Amino acid sequence: MRKSIKIILIILVAFLVVFIVDTAQAKIFNNRPFFKITQSYNAGNVYQKDIGVLVYTYNFINGEKKTVFRWEKYAPPVGKPVDLEVVNTESYKKYDKVIDNVKLELNIPNEWKYEEIEKDEKNVLEEHQKI
């Protein structure tokens, strides 16, 4: 009985050490934790938040990171949202199409060659049946 308790305690201590080392490397080097859950955001300056065992890492749109402990009060700085539009519009062609009341807009590089192919309903049904 004592041997099984020792093995269980050794395993628990090993897990505890791994999580403490992971937290330490994340906080000391302002890095993402290895054991994490990632949440993605669609607006503002933060695009991802990595939730570690004891730390949060905020990943900003400009490439910066900020790692804080869970118990620290931290609010990411609010700034002007970054415009994600294409910077060099001379090298792109704008393509847009409305399909079933949904507008699709693409910026296609000038060096790409493309062709729009119209499909009839019969071909679409045949393709779905093959899948």
Side-chain angles (χ1 to χ4, degrees), residues 9-99:
L9 284 176
I10 289 171
I11 291 171
L12 288 176
V13 168
F15 275 123
L16 184 63
V17 167
V18 166
F19 286 127
I20 289 173
V21 168
D22 181 41
T23 300
Q25 72 83 23
K27 186 66 176 158
I28 291 169
F29 299 113
N30 195 29
N31 203 0
R32 302 166 109 174
F34 292 117
F35 303 103
K36 65 183 178 281
I37 296 172
T38 302
Q39 289 181 341
S40 296
Y41 294 94
N42 291 331
N45 291 333
V46 177
Y47 77 92
Q48 278 184 340
K49 177 179 164 186
D50 295 322
I51 302 170
V53 177
L54 297 173
V55 293
Y56 293 135
T57 300
Y58 295 91
N59 301 300
F60 298 99
I61 291 175
N62 62 3
E64 294 178 12
K65 291 184 242 174
K66 176 71 176 172
T67 302
V68 296
F69 288 112
R70 283 180 173 247
W71 54 85
E72 288 182 65
K73 292 190 181 216
Y74 177 76
V78 177
K80 183 177 124 185
V82 176
D83 188 13
L84 298 177
E85 290 292 319
V86 177
V87 177
N88 187 4
T89 57
E90 297 91 37
S91 62
Y92 291 90
K93 290 182 262 186
K94 187 133 179 126
Y95 174 82
D96 58 2
K97 176 134 180 137
V98 177
I99 303 170

Side-chain angles (χ1 to χ4, degrees), residues 88-123:
N88 187 4
T89 57
E90 297 91 37
S91 62
Y92 291 90
K93 290 182 262 186
K94 187 133 179 126
Y95 174 82
D96 58 2
K97 176 134 180 137
V98 177
I99 303 170
D100 295 332
N101 295 328
V102 176
K103 186 173 184 180
L104 174 69
E105 292 182 354
L106 298 172
N107 290 323
I108 301 174
N110 286 334
E111 50 282 341
W112 287 14
K113 296 184 191 239
Y114 67 94
E115 176 182 356
E116 185 176 342
I117 300 173
E118 297 290 330
K119 290 189 175 185
D120 58 349
E121 291 297 319
K122 182 180 176 187
N123 290 342

